[in-house]
Amino acid sequence: MPSFSAESFTRLSSCHPDLQVLFFEIIKTFDCMVLEGHRNEHDQDLAFKEGRSKLQWPHGKHNGQPSMAVDVTPCPIDFSNTNRLYWFAGYVMGIAQKLKEEGKMTHSVRYGGDWSRDFTDLNEQFKDLNHYELV
Ligand SMILES: [Zn+2]
């Protein structure tokens, strides 16, 4: 059974309990790495400048404490393999819905490849394929 590295664990610990419940469930069956949880002012401004985020501090979902967003990618890491990122996302979103229906999570999850939550990426201009946030 896969498990989180110490780095992933620490990053996930900065996130809302719902995100922790979700990704501790995911890691049981799908190896993945937590790239970022809470993002401080410096890191948020950097993400904005580099075009990785559309929001400036403190308006990003990563900026709260706990963080309402987390960036997670499947292992082995290959950001160019977008098919695999979407595959992972579909798995995450299905598990998230199940956990919410079971009362184990209080929030719904929005994926950075489908901001409008209409199950297609075709109408999305800005895609953040490792991003999951609570709504
Ligand atoms: Zn993110």
Side-chain angles (χ1 to χ4, degrees):
M1 188 166 96
S3 62
F4 282 128
S5 65
E7 277 180 317
S8 285
F9 186 89
T10 300
R11 290 167 184 158
L12 189 57
S13 300
S14 71
C15 298
H16 187 281
D18 274 0
L19 291 171
Q20 297 189 36
V21 166
L22 173 58
F23 284 99
F24 278 120
E25 187 65 26
I26 297 295
I27 191 68
K28 290 177 184 172
T29 48
F30 204 140
D31 195 13
C32 56
M33 180 179 190
V34 180
L35 302 171
E36 199 160 30
H38 172 73
R39 194 181 282 156
N40 64 28
E41 184 169 358
H42 172 267
D43 292 342
Q44 181 64 37
D45 286 346
L46 191 64
F48 180 79
K49 276 180 201 147
E50 292 178 353
R52 291 182 286 112
S53 175
K54 291 287 182 197
L55 300 170
Q56 285 183 290
W57 174 272
H59 305 294
K61 288 263 192 175
H62 284 278
N63 301 153
Q65 285 188 312
S67 178
M68 297 297 278
V70 66
D71 298 337
V72 183
T73 201
C75 294
I77 293 176
D78 180 2
F79 297 119
S80 68
N81 188 347
T82 55
N83 284 344
R84 192 146 191 276
L85 300 181
Y86 281 115
W87 178 27
F88 179 69
Y91 188 78
V92 170
M93 297 304 286
I95 298 287
Q97 188 167 334
K98 178 173 161 281
L99 290 172
K100 188 167 183 231
E101 284 168 7
E102 291 173 352
K104 294 174 183 168
M105 287 174 61
T106 56
H107 294 75
S108 293
V109 176
R110 176 160 55 197
Y111 175 50
D114 180 22
W115 300 104
S116 57
R117 294 199 287 163
D118 58 358
F119 298 96
T120 178
D121 66 325
L122 297 176
N123 54 347
E124 302 298 339
Q125 305 208 334
F126 175 70
K127 297 178 189 177
D128 192 352
L129 301 183
N130 299 298
H131 178 94
Y132 300 87
E133 66 180 35
L134 300 176
V135 289

